[in-house]
Amino acid sequence: MTEYNHDPSDRIWYACYGSNLSSERFRLYIEGGELTINGVFRHYCGCTDKTLWTDSQISRFPGRIYFGHESDTWLGKGVAFYKPYEDGTVLMRLYQITWGQLLDVQKQEGKGRTWYGNLVDLGVHNGLKTYTITAHDFQPQNDPCPEYRNLILCALTEECGMDEESAKRYLETGSLEYTE
């Protein structure tokens, strides 16, 4: 297991590839709040440090995304996971937050082996260490519910600059190679 030597106040990039592409959705993990999807209610406690990110950028990283597991928040359907060692390219939104906030977000996402317990070091981007989170092991594939898929589609088109057809193909294939 990799050990990371960071102070909680160290600035890092958190690279998001699923519903946290949406700044409104990611805000719940930082500040706290409630989300209701088709009658399913979830409360987010937020981070200990509720200061919002100081910068946000869109970048590409090697790998693929896929939908898997069964999320209670998303009606028992799949959520996005990242496979860093697969051929392909993943679009990620980078949020400049602190190391302590990243660890708090990871706890809220579900730190277990089958959720988001795997902290992936993506190297240095614009002078800061960059990390994402995913499952340790491949999760059984499970299509996302329409609400989750639409949240990501809206973030890809409205916040990340993709056209709608490219965004749909990206979610179907898990890689940008098939969108351009």
Side-chain angles (χ1 to χ4, degrees):
M1 179 168 191
T2 304
E3 293 294 324
Y4 298 100
N5 188 16
H6 289 290
D7 184 271
S9 64
D10 287 349
R11 305 298 300 172
I12 55 97
W13 289 112
Y14 170 42
C16 302
Y17 51 86
S19 63
N20 287 338
L21 288 167
S22 162
S23 59
E24 183 179 332
R25 170 89 167 114
F26 185 58
R27 181 183 295 266
L28 290 172
Y29 284 108
I30 300 293
E31 293 184 325
E34 285 80 33
L35 176 69
T36 302
I37 303 293
N38 287 344
V40 176
F41 174 80
R42 179 162 178 203
H43 174 77
Y44 297 85
C45 62
C47 294
T48 303
D49 173 0
K50 297 186 184 320
T51 307
L52 290 179
W53 52 93
T54 57
D55 194 6
S56 172
Q57 301 176 7
I58 306 302
S59 194
R60 297 169 182 225
F61 292 90
R64 296 179 89 72
I65 60 167
Y66 71 97
F67 296 99
H69 216 313
E70 295 178 2
S71 170
D72 291 339
T73 301
W74 298 104
L75 311 172
K77 300 300 282 175
V79 292
F81 290 98
Y82 173 58
K83 296 191 289 186
Y85 305 110
E86 295 281 324
D87 287 338
T89 304
V90 175
L91 184 80
M92 294 193 188
R93 184 170 191 172
L94 308 180
Y95 294 98
Q96 192 178 125
I97 61 174
T98 66
W99 177 252
Q101 286 176 311
L102 174 60
L103 297 179
D104 284 350
V105 167
Q106 187 181 30
K107 285 179 200 169
Q108 292 177 77
E109 285 275 27
K111 200 172 174 181
R113 190 164 183 83
T114 60
W115 287 105
Y116 296 97
N118 185 14
L119 189 63
V120 179
D121 183 341
L122 296 172
V124 175
H125 182 82
N126 289 343
L128 292 176
K129 289 293 291 178
T130 305
Y131 299 94
T132 194
I133 54 177
T134 192
H136 282 277
D137 306 307
F138 183 78
Q139 297 304 301
Q141 289 192 270
N142 188 7
D143 289 335
C145 69
E147 294 83 355
Y148 185 78
R149 186 174 188 279
N150 288 338
L151 175 65
I152 297 173
L153 275 174
C154 285
L156 287 169
T157 57
E158 296 172 14
E159 298 185 52
C160 300
M162 289 183 82
D163 66 81
E164 189 171 343
E165 284 308 309
S166 294
K168 286 178 180 178
R169 281 194 305 275
Y170 173 64
L171 292 182
E172 289 169 8
T173 64
S175 176
L176 289 172
E177 270 69 37
Y178 303 100
T179 65
E180 302 172 332

